[in-house]
Amino acid sequence: MKQAGAIPQTEVLESSSSNNRIQVVFNRPVSVKQLNTLPEIVRTTSSSNLTSVFEELESLIGLHEAKKTIYEIYALIKMNKARERHGLKIEKQVFHMVFKGNPGTGKTTIARLFGKIFKEMGVLTKGHLTEVERADLVGEFIGHTAQKTRDLVKKAMGGILFIDEAYSLARGGEKDFGKEAVDCLTKCLEDFGNDFVCIIAGYNDEIDTFLELNPGLPSRFPVHINFSDYEVDELMEIANVMAKNKEYRISPEASEKLRRRLLTVTSDPFHVNFSNARYVRNNIEKAIRVQAVRLLKIPDPTRDDLMNLKSEDFSI
């Protein structure tokens, strides 16, 4: 049986003996590596600039649904270009998105990567990220909000407008200027929807409430990505990466202490809106401050002293 991807080779040798027998030698097939995973396939079909973006994506811990969606959109854009070359019908794609999840789950990071990918693939001209919140959109008097919103949309042209905690625009009721911002944004999506990508982000239930503010909103955001909370093992991996990037290392005892703390917090039913990687970062930054105070007592700390975060540095 032939192996998939293998090239069988044979060699015929004529014997020099008197009976003139022919000897056939079967050489071992040359194996060709098969591309099995979607990331591998994508990297072999993308430009060098895109490959570096996808490598950055794969270096991120977790974020499985977001990664899958990014690869799907990449494949869709690439196949649409192929259809266009063959004269086949293509529909104009809208990539406005809804990111749902707790804080610290990588929503802003993924939004920034989308900007880079869309720029490299010609969907956006700039690919920059304009990150805003309620205070940036809502004005203090009638008409001010619409102007602020239009100005921010103009700033985001050619890139991504990322509205964090978008549900906050729904607070305050009918007379609140937040609704004016939503109405203005809805019109901008209609008028300039192909010139920028709008991503709204926030908690699951609150985002659903936000989308109900204007009947035209839900249909304008066809891509929804859920950002799940990290598992404890993933959070520990994130902690070690954060420490390494700052040229620190977490001792085994400190690592165990941090793990126990994470297990307690993530399993607490009364702890809502866990901040995930942000929680880990805050704990590491606090540990670094505690370590600094501890090392003040040492006249000449060594390199190991300066790098090592001990259990006592992760105070409760």
Side-chain angles (χ1 to χ4, degrees), residues 228-247:
S228 303
D229 287 341
Y230 288 105
E231 301 291 337
V232 170
D233 285 344
E234 292 175 331
L235 291 170
M236 289 303 303
E237 191 174 350
I238 289 171
N240 285 312
V241 169
M242 286 181 175
K244 182 179 179 181
N245 288 341
K246 295 176 181 291
E247 294 192 332

Side-chain angles (χ1 to χ4, degrees), residues 41 56 66 119 157 170 182 194 201 222 267 276 282 291 298 307:
I41 296 171
E56 183 180 352
K119 179 181 182 296
M157 284 296 172
V182 174
N194 294 325
S267 61
N276 289 276
N282 291 341
Q291 183 229 42
I298 302 176
M307 293 183 65

Side-chain angles (χ1 to χ4, degrees), residues 60 125 279:
L60 299 175
T125 56
Y279 179 89

